[in-house]
Amino acid sequence: MTANRQRIAVYPGTFDPITNGHVDLVDRAAPLFERLVIGVAESPGKGPALPLAQRVELARQAVARHPNVEVRGFDSLLAHFVSDVGAGVLLRGLRAVSDFEYEFQLASMNRHLIPDVETLFLTPAEQYGFISSSLVREVARLGGDVSGFVPPAVAAALQAEWQRTREAP
């Protein structure tokens, strides 16, 4: 792996929506790399609540304070996206032991698909360990306050989305 590839990391995910836990990982990782690319996966199979363009824009707003962080949407195999970016590191978050088995499988598959890319696991600060995008979506969908779990623009977008879907015939 070239030195340039080692200085570029990709943090992939659906980010539906980006949470304070995701932002915390970016805050921790941004100083470690010359460039950190947040790859927002289209993931139509997951049936995201928010469209890709909106998830990308919300992520950009959430991490705008980091000049070396960029946000890009993608709809390809992660291995292809990582190669296109020229990254040598995949960044993944681990909230709890329950995340490890799935993340270990992903890391092993990625090692086969892109053997010159290393996976780096980071853990969020303790106050974010319980936050997941799916829990945030469910709380928002049921009219709960998610402002403590997501950046302000995300809370507003979720509220608008669920208001829109409740009003739809």
Side-chain angles (χ1 to χ4, degrees):
M1 180 185 334
T2 66
N4 285 346
R5 289 176 60 89
Q6 290 176 334
R7 292 191 295 251
I8 302 171
V10 169
Y11 179 24
T14 307
F15 300 102
D16 183 38
I18 192 166
T19 68
N20 290 341
H22 294 128
V23 174
D24 179 64
L25 283 183
V26 170
D27 291 345
R28 292 165 183 276
L32 303 175
F33 299 98
E34 187 174 298
R35 189 167 140 231
L36 175 60
V37 179
I38 298 174
V40 181
E42 186 165 28
S43 299
K46 288 187 173 183
L50 300 173
L52 178 61
Q54 187 175 24
R55 288 182 279 134
V56 167
E57 182 53 34
L58 290 169
R60 283 184 179 141
Q61 291 175 31
V63 300
R65 68 182 166 278
H66 297 289
N68 65 324
V69 175
E70 71 176 90
V71 180
R72 292 174 48 181
F74 72 100
D75 63 357
S76 63
L77 186 65
L78 177 60
H80 296 158
F81 180 72
V82 169
S83 294
D84 290 346
V85 168
V89 176
L90 264 174
L91 175 66
R92 298 293 295 172
L94 288 175
R95 292 173 303 209
V97 173
S98 57
D99 289 342
F100 181 77
E101 187 173 344
Y102 176 71
E103 291 296 339
F104 184 78
Q105 285 180 310
L106 284 180
S108 297
M109 178 61 77
N110 285 323
R111 187 172 296 119
H112 285 282
L113 296 172
I114 41 177
D116 58 337
V117 174
E118 291 295 335
T119 299
L120 175 68
F121 296 106
L122 291 179
T123 59
E126 291 76 21
Q127 69 263 33
Y128 303 122
F130 69 94
I131 301 172
S132 72
S133 293
S134 57
L135 283 175
V136 167
R137 283 193 313 271
E138 185 66 6
V139 170
R141 185 181 69 79
L142 295 171
D145 179 14
V146 296
S147 61
F149 313 127
V150 295
V154 173
L158 287 172
Q159 184 178 18
E161 177 62 22
W162 298 125
Q163 185 65 37
R164 185 188 65 75
T165 57
R166 278 195 293 271
E167 292 172 356

